[in-house]
Amino acid sequence: MSSYLFAPADIRGVSFRNRVAMSPMCMYSCFAKDGKATPWHVAHYASRAVGGVGLVLTEATAVAPEGRISDEDLGIWSDEHIDGLRDVAAACRDAGAKVGIQLAHAGRKSQAVGRALAPSAVPFADGYRTPVAMSEADVAAAVAAFREGAARAKRAGFDVVEIHAAHGYLLNEFLSPLANRRDDRYGGGREGRFRMLGETIQSVREAWDGPLFLRLSLDEYAEGGNAMEDFVWYARRAKALGVDLIDCSTGGVVPARVDAYPGYQVPYAERIRREADIAVGAVGLIAEPEFAEHLVRAGRADFVFLGRELLRNPYWPLHAAKALRAEAPVPRQYARGWA
Ligand SMILES: Cc1cc2nc3c(=O)[nH]c(=O)nc-3n(C[C@H](O)[C@H](O)[C@H](O)COP(=O)(O)O)c2cc1C
């Protein structure tokens, strides 16, 4: 029987050779602290493209300097970032993968220079700064920064944009009652808490007509956080505003212990797919080819995102395709190694 994992996919006219995606992972490797991509980034991402993934999704890339998690994050807040990112995108595409960029703002979890911004002046945890509660002008500036980031991503040659609204960073902070204590139109009930993310999606869509992914944390692992029915509601709204796929992660809004095991986040993806009627990515300790195949075949996910497994084994897709008796996306130059 032919593989579902290694079957091509199409989103908004962009064709992916298979449904294996490299999950975004910060490399903290802009040692000049200027947000510019380096030879490390090109080699690192191109290696996974050579290894056969359908989509390389680059790490959280800050739309504003104060939106970096650390000073060594990638950035896209200036035109000066475009050339380095273009090298990353070109190297991945040359190796047959599609390439996406994760646009991010770290909010109150930023430990970079500058002020930490958040919906409310509530720190994430001990050891973190008390953030500045954003004014409406600050919100408008951040929303515009996401649009400008998307416009630069287009100029750099990316195929996919993902908005990072997970893991307790800025957009997640606005969504969550655990971090958003505002009483203006950006807070309160879920309509208000969704407002900034909704405006961000619309703003990105003004500059970006390609596939648009959205990463959400679908469990806050704490009393008083969003419930699954809230996330289904957010996902439906996001779809109506032009999001094509929800990348289904969990956690990070408040410190919490998580009992993680292979596929632990799959039930969230499944539910969003079913109830919001939108494509989803499943992620979290997925490493077995048969399990990844099952997720797509059983209709539990449309894409399978791999993080740490691809740090260990950039050639995972080639080995997985062999194990599943699918046609492996072997680079022509390496054919003799896989004959
Ligand atoms: C080193 C490292 C950096 C990460 N950086 C990001 C990031 O920039 N953006 C993001 O959304 N998730 C980030 N994550 C989370 C991964 O994308 C992924 O969701 C998580 O590691 C679970 O998948 P895995 O078990 O396959 O690694 C990071 C994870 C690791 C290990």
Side-chain angles (χ1 to χ4, degrees), residues 94 130 137 144 322:
D94 191 57
T130 299
K322 286 278 179 197

Side-chain angles (χ1 to χ4, degrees), residues 119-306:
S120 308
V122 183
F124 169 67
D126 288 348
Y128 284 79
R129 290 174 290 180
T130 299
V132 175
M134 291 168 79
S135 65
E136 290 215 0
D138 290 331
V139 171
V143 167
F146 273 93
R147 180 180 58 242
E148 287 156 20
R152 292 189 185 105
K154 190 169 183 174
R155 286 167 64 192
F158 285 92
D159 302 294
V160 171
V161 163
E162 175 166 287
I163 297 173
H164 196 355
H167 302 166
Y169 298 117
L170 186 65
L171 295 169
N172 194 174
E173 290 159 21
F174 270 86
L175 284 182
S176 175
L178 299 173
N180 183 341
R181 312 267 169 87
R182 299 174 75 99
D183 53 15
D184 66 356
R185 62 200 186 96
Y186 290 99
R190 64 185 176 192
E191 183 81 45
R193 297 198 311 276
F194 179 77
R195 191 177 311 281
M196 182 176 184
L197 176 56
E199 289 180 0
T200 300
I201 295 166
Q202 283 176 301
S203 177
V204 164
R205 267 279 170 242
E206 287 167 18
W208 181 259
D209 55 6
L212 181 59
F213 293 8
L214 174 65
R215 181 164 262 204
L216 292 175
S217 277
L218 298 160
D219 194 330
E220 304 191 345
Y221 302 115
E223 285 291 314
N226 282 297
M228 201 54 198
E229 62 189 45
D230 298 312
F231 290 116
V232 170
W233 189 87
Y234 299 139
R236 287 187 183 138
R237 293 288 295 270
K239 180 185 175 186
L241 294 172
V243 167
D244 299 305
L245 178 143
I246 307 288
D247 172 4
C248 298
S249 190
T250 65
V253 184
V254 290
R257 246 184 59 80
V258 178
D259 184 17
Y261 53 88
Y264 69 106
Q265 296 176 141
V266 170
Y268 305 94
E270 247 179 316
R271 185 156 168 202
I272 291 290
R273 189 176 196 265
R274 191 174 60 241
E275 294 186 21
D277 190 23
I278 187 168
V280 296
V283 65
L285 290 173
I286 299 168
E288 291 304 322
E290 293 76 13
F291 184 52
E293 172 70 22
H294 154 80
L295 293 177
V296 182
R297 184 178 291 265
R300 303 179 73 189
D302 299 276
F303 275 77
V304 177
F305 285 57
L306 271 67

Side-chain angles (χ1 to χ4, degrees), residues 35-48:
K36 290 183 183 169
T38 66
W40 168 265
H41 295 101
V42 176
H44 167 66
Y45 289 114
S47 301
R48 278 69 196 175

